[in-house]
Amino acid sequence: MGKRLSVLTACLVVCLTGSCVLAAEIVIDEFSSPELADWALSPRVWRDGKGQPIDETPFSLTHTTDAAILGDAPGGLQVEFASAKATKTPGCYGLLRRINVPHPAPETDCLVFDLIVEGGGGNIKSVDLFHVPSWRRFTAGPVPLDFSGFRQVVLKRDDMRPSPDATAWEEVNYIQFVVSGDVVFTISNMRWSQSATLIPRAPEPQRVTRAVLPVTDVTPGTGAGASPTGDIAVFARDPLRRCTYKTVPAANEGLDKLAVFSVPGEAEPTTFSVRSPTPVRGVSVSMAGDLVSGSGGAGIPAESMEIRVVTPMSLWLDTRRMREVEYLLVDHDMVDLEANRTTRFWVTVRVPENTPAETYRGALVVRTATREIARIPYHVEVLPIQLATLDDICYFMYFRPERLPAWGQTREYFTQCLVDMREHGMNGISAYVYPDGSPVMKTARPGTLCMDDTVQAIRESGLMKPGVGTFVWIAASCYGGWGVKAFTPVVREQGWEMLAYAIDEPNDERRQKLVRQVVPRLKKACPDVHVVTAIGEKGIEVVGDFYDTWICVAAHTDDKRVAQAREQGKRLWTYECGLSPSDALTCRYHFGYWLWRTGATGAAFWAYCDASAKDRFMLPLKDWTAYDQSALYRHDFVWCVPEGPIPSIGWEEAREGIEDFRYLRTLENVVAEAAKAGREGEAAEGRAFLAELRGTIDPANYGKAQDAARTRAKQEGRNTITLFERDSPEPALTVGDYSGLRRRAGELILRLQKGLK
């Protein structure tokens, strides 16, 4: 016999919206049922509605070995569960197959479990009791889930529906739950029992008190140094090097000054970290004043400096284990330093236009209300270079503002987001415009902007200049030729290119069939409008010829794919929908050196703000008024709050990648000018640098890094939709090479420009 969950031998946490739920605090009475042991999880098999195995699912299944979800009994079982909506598999209910259980004793005649429903609707369609390998079964159910609270469920053998050749009760060794609806619930304390001796508990739903489940923090430490034992440590680290609250300064990370180089009109980041052996309250970081010119001329105003705190999100491996990863750059007036917890500060200088070329000096001051902790010299070298524009490269972010709360669905807020995109190097837009009535330019589906408001927001933001910019109408295939005919003249009046987006990711037979039906109609109605979509390797092979522009999955983009696009006369862009906004290195690489090397002429990420943040149980966040660092943000390169978008480290480094590309383009231009001017010797040096870099970068390594990250995620039992903490996408480049290559390109540009003058 057991008391207070001592007989808890299996616990299922199930969520039909995608994951696990918060368990409740329940006091379990003594039971007269036999003690059970060895309830275990067999190898996972997920099947669709036709019984076929599902290879790729968003499910995560973990056998915990420390303690059950409720109580202290060992051997708990934790399951993250998804519905048909999440699997996108027709006819697929959320079902958990093959829970291995001990055979029921002959004297038992029922299956008992505790059911806690957090909310939602639907039901457990059936509870199937199998004998494996014969698969003869008993079936019970349905069990309604249309309440909120706790109840005990008793499924009696005599009430079950046996199959024609049902197994003997004593032979049952597997249990399966088949669930429908969007509902969050917990099953625990599952056991065989005797209905005659069972002590009834909660035959009707009862309210329960939520309790926070214990969490194991598995955040890794970084750095080879020792945690400071004396005063507060202040140290430097390249923005591309990962940092956690456990990071301690390495021997080469001592800080005598922060120094960056930039060009007029551009932004340049750097970082430093602070770690204290004791708590420190009310720490602030500010400029000691303007950055001073060494020549006595005008300096760089302190207002051109932006100082933010690198704030983590929680990467939940399951509902019990998490690790912190760097994510948002939050604007705090002051922060509290916790003992032996590293806090990182992100410092960005925005060099004003027309700033003379020289080095500007100032200082960052770290202080509390009562004392100065550190004064850090800060130097900015401004180079006399005007970087080339990339008008022939389309940079854009997928963004569906209708997913934001009502305050984010206005033209004013949309314009604010587009300004942020422009400031981060974007020059194209994915337009989710859905006309709904007449006039077609002024009507829109609820929560979306009409075409007139969209065009006006683009103009006000300066995202796309007249004659430059690409307007990708995502909803084109929803409206057919008449919609493209209506919108194309409006877009072209602004001097922008119009692209009709048709049938997203046609990588399966159903979507490929739609491509054959829809795309020819669009082309017939508007022969001069290019058709585009995001597409993978399978889609390119089957229906690639239907499109004018391929937005190819980055992992499938290599020299072979580029050559294929060129041979077939297709424009090639790339995109990522599984890149974490916490992966600063890959974000910079994708938009910069890698894109330059591939020869693709466009790049995009999913998504600017996908509004898909989830809590530890994979339930959507409901409070958008502030940033919640206990949540998981998979596809949000910024997080939108009423005051405006908050950038991530990945979003900031995407801009750095675009700037890397601009340095290389500028060098290519001056090399061509030098050769044209007869200065072949000088041009040869620049040409050699570019050739060496081109030979160093292998585009195929991008996909290899993604595959390695996916393998690690599967080994951890994590969802593989978003791949966190990838390896370097180009092993031949060190973290220091990213800025070092830019510096070398800048030196060559200056040398060639001097010769040309």
Side-chain angles (χ1 to χ4, degrees), residues 13-21 80-86 92-95 119 121-124 145 178-185 617-619:
V13 182
V14 186
C15 172
L16 267 291
T17 56
S19 187
C20 301
V21 305
E80 294 187 5
F81 218 104
S83 66
K85 180 170 62 176
C92 177
Y93 295 107
L95 66 85
N123 59 60
I124 301 174
L145 302 172
V178 180
V179 190
S180 67
D182 288 322
V183 64
V184 181
F185 63 95
F617 310 103
M618 297 299 104
L619 301 178

Side-chain angles (χ1 to χ4, degrees), residues 216-223 237 242-248 275 315 317 322-326 342 716 725:
T216 301
D217 185 340
V218 294
T219 303
T222 58
R237 173 164 286 199
R242 294 189 177 115
C243 185
T244 73
Y245 72 88
K246 292 183 178 180
T247 298
V248 295
R275 186 178 180 90
L315 173 56
L317 309 182
M322 57 76 68
R323 63 171 174 260
E324 289 189 359
V325 294
E326 292 185 311
T342 296
E716 290 181 336
E725 301 171 352

